[in-house]
Amino acid sequence: MAGPVPSLTETFTALGTPAGRQDPYPLYEAIRAHGNIARLKPGRLIVTGYEECARALRDPLLHVQDARSYDAARPGWRAHSSLRAFTGSMLYSNPPDHTRLRNLVSFAFTPPRIRELRTVIEEMADLLLDRMAGLGAHGAPVDLVAEFASRLPIAVISTMLGFPKDDQVWFREMASAIAVSTDGFNDPGALHRADAAMDDLSAYFASLVDHRRRHPADDLVTLIAATHDTEPGRLSRDELMGTLMVLLTAGFETTSFLIGHGVLLALDHPEYAQRLCDEAVFTDPYVEEILRYEPPVHVTSRRAAADTDLLDVPVPAGTGLVLVLAAANRDARRFAEPHRFDPDRRTGQPLSFGAGAHYCLGAPLARLEAGIALPRLIRRFPGLARVEPPVYRDRWVVRGLDTFPVALNT
């Protein structure tokens, strides 16, 4: 005999448990059973429907959480440097500040500029695959995440920003520690570690900015520092540091998770792995289906700046909305057989990079990196096999593999 059906609050709370973070999809469906827009508590809605999330992301009256809303919702947050740094970035700002900060760096992420990076990314990928071949010689297991899925995006964004190659592994450690501050369920110990990492990284950025002032280079750090110095009022020091922080962390971890998921799904579906090797035109739809089926970013949030409505559901001013993008990507009203991985589907566009004014600036770069990395890896190591089950990071908002031991079987 079946037990009582958990309440919406109980189901949502379960997402904050280790088991819920490891496999949140059944919980998303349990939440969806309460409606595509459901009330968690007075003043807070949770949204799991595709159309509902898409509308919310594009509604100019639904703002991202910024410093002002943090002050109201989370007293004491300013004591944490890991939280303060991000609020000085475009990620946690609304117009007109968001527009000003985004325009500062958007030129570097246009599709034509990103396409110019193809050869550089291919060379980086090949060097990392050579390194993997050495590490995995004679059957030794290799951690795919540590040695490839994370190293490639950190190398790419470090090159764009102008960070020294020797510091890239350290960046990964710092960025991973800091990223927990953006998760929906923070434990105090992790948040204090994030603060320590943020302090170290901020000091590093400050030193590098000063160096670039004296020794300009063709990179984003030089450009951003020059804008701060020559255009008073356009970019404050906090915004300068916040912009660098977001470019590094957002430009690395989500792409790492995208590549890791792509390899895992290729091993689960060898027929698709073969097509990645044989059909150049298959790469783009394969990457797009990874983004739908296993998106790196599961959740984002909005807050109503004024009274509005979401598909005829009233949203009073001050209401907070939890937008579950990973659930929206598996909405059966939008995607047939949504729980099946199918790169040949041609309907619907996933919301994995968001929509509207905050659509992910790095989307073309992430797609390009994954589209280069996955076929190259599988062609190089056609006998690739898992040694142990992969382990997911103990996170919810941004979700991906922490370790993935594989054998190359060359």
Side-chain angles (χ1 to χ4, degrees), residues 199-282:
D199 293 342
D200 288 345
L201 200 51
S202 296
Y204 180 94
F205 283 168
S207 175
L208 182 59
V209 167
D210 289 341
H211 179 76
R212 283 289 182 264
R213 286 184 172 118
R214 298 190 302 272
H215 306 282
D218 183 18
D219 57 43
L220 282 172
V221 170
T222 300
L223 171 70
I224 295 169
T227 300
H228 171 264
D229 296 343
T230 61
E231 300 182 39
R234 186 178 179 190
L235 186 71
S236 70
R237 181 167 179 79
D238 287 347
E239 290 171 339
L240 184 155
M241 301 303 287
T243 297
L244 292 177
M245 206 71 67
V246 163
L247 289 175
L248 174 65
T249 56
F252 141 62
E253 197 170 48
T254 52
T255 306
S256 170
F257 292 163
L258 174 60
I259 294 170
H261 287 148
V263 176
L264 180 59
L265 288 162
L267 295 181
D268 288 341
H269 300 276
E271 70 278 16
Y272 295 148
Q274 190 60 51
R275 289 178 66 185
L276 280 172
C277 294
D278 297 342
E279 305 172 28
V281 295
F282 183 66

Side-chain angles (χ1 to χ4, degrees), residues 311-356:
L311 293 177
D312 297 325
V313 174
V315 182
T319 300
L321 295 92
V322 179
L323 308 181
V324 189
L325 305 182
N329 284 349
R330 296 195 182 193
D331 186 341
R333 299 174 303 165
R334 181 76 177 192
F335 303 97
E337 298 182 80
H339 299 291
R340 182 168 68 89
F341 182 72
D342 178 14
D344 291 313
R345 70 173 72 243
R346 292 292 183 268
T347 57
Q349 180 179 7
L351 295 174
S352 310
F353 289 123

Side-chain angles (χ1 to χ4, degrees), residues 85-107:
F86 283 117
T87 58
S89 74
M90 70 185 87
L91 200 62
Y92 291 89
S93 62
N94 293 290
D97 291 335
H98 171 263
T99 307
R100 171 174 53 82
L101 293 172
R102 187 179 176 104
N103 287 344
L104 177 65
V105 295
S106 60
F107 78 95

Side-chain angles (χ1 to χ4, degrees), residues 159-181:
T159 298
M160 294 176 70
L161 287 164
F163 296 157
K165 182 178 179 181
D166 292 344
D167 296 334
Q168 291 174 10
V169 173
W170 180 75
F171 285 145
R172 183 207 174 200
E173 295 170 358
M174 294 297 101
S176 297
I178 289 167
V180 300
S181 65

Side-chain angles (χ1 to χ4, degrees), residues 20-305:
R21 291 193 289 266
Q22 287 296 303
D23 184 14
Y25 290 103
L27 295 173
Y28 295 158
E29 295 309 311
I31 292 171
R32 198 195 309 275
H34 292 270
N36 293 302
I37 305 174
R39 191 174 80 155
L40 275 172
K41 61 182 181 180
R44 196 176 193 199
L45 302 174
I46 185 165
V47 186
T48 53
Y50 180 95
E51 187 62 27
E52 292 79 3
C53 281
R55 292 285 186 94
L57 291 168
R58 293 180 172 91
D59 190 332
L61 295 178
L62 296 179
H63 288 186
V64 299
Q65 193 151 355
D66 56 16
R68 192 183 325 177
S69 57
Y70 259 122
D71 285 337
R74 196 169 180 173
W77 70 273
R78 293 180 185 273
H80 297 283
S81 58
S82 58
L83 298 176
R84 289 198 313 272
F86 283 117
T87 58
S89 74
M90 70 185 87
L91 200 62
Y92 291 89
S93 62
N94 293 290
D97 291 335
H98 171 263
T99 307
R100 171 174 53 82
L101 293 172
R102 187 179 176 104
N103 287 344
L104 177 65
V105 295
S106 60
F107 78 95
F109 294 90
T110 62
R113 290 295 294 266
I114 295 303
R115 284 194 292 270
E116 293 173 3
L117 294 172
R118 172 175 287 277
T119 300
V120 173
I121 297 171
E122 289 173 342
E123 292 172 354
M124 289 177 174
D126 287 341
L127 288 172
L128 291 174
L129 294 174
D130 290 343
R131 185 175 186 277
M132 282 183 68
L135 293 171
H138 311 298
V142 178
D143 185 348
L144 179 87
V145 175
E147 300 303 336
F148 187 69
S150 68
R151 281 181 182 263
L152 180 61
I154 201 77
V156 173
I157 195 63
S158 293
T159 298
M160 294 176 70
L161 287 164
F163 296 157
K165 182 178 179 181
D166 292 344
D167 296 334
Q168 291 174 10
V169 173
W170 180 75
F171 285 145
R172 183 207 174 200
E173 295 170 358
M174 294 297 101
S176 297
I178 289 167
V180 300
S181 65
T182 64
D183 206 78
F185 299 97
N186 297 319
D187 74 77
L191 195 53
H192 286 303
R193 289 191 293 274
D195 290 341
M198 183 65 79
D199 293 342
D200 288 345
L201 200 51
S202 296
Y204 180 94
F205 283 168
S207 175
L208 182 59
V209 167
D210 289 341
H211 179 76
R212 283 289 182 264
R213 286 184 172 118
R214 298 190 302 272
H215 306 282
D218 183 18
D219 57 43
L220 282 172
V221 170
T222 300
L223 171 70
I224 295 169
T227 300
H228 171 264
D229 296 343
T230 61
E231 300 182 39
R234 186 178 179 190
L235 186 71
S236 70
R237 181 167 179 79
D238 287 347
E239 290 171 339
L240 184 155
M241 301 303 287
T243 297
L244 292 177
M245 206 71 67
V246 163
L247 289 175
L248 174 65
T249 56
F252 141 62
E253 197 170 48
T254 52
T255 306
S256 170
F257 292 163
L258 174 60
I259 294 170
H261 287 148
V263 176
L264 180 59
L265 288 162
L267 295 181
D268 288 341
H269 300 276
E271 70 278 16
Y272 295 148
Q274 190 60 51
R275 289 178 66 185
L276 280 172
C277 294
D278 297 342
E279 305 172 28
V281 295
F282 183 66
T283 301
D284 287 349
Y286 183 82
V287 170
E288 209 64 16
E289 180 68 350
I290 303 167
L291 288 166
R292 184 197 71 83
Y293 186 80
E294 277 286 13
V297 178
H298 273 223
V299 185
T300 189
S301 63
R302 293 292 187 269
R303 183 169 296 275

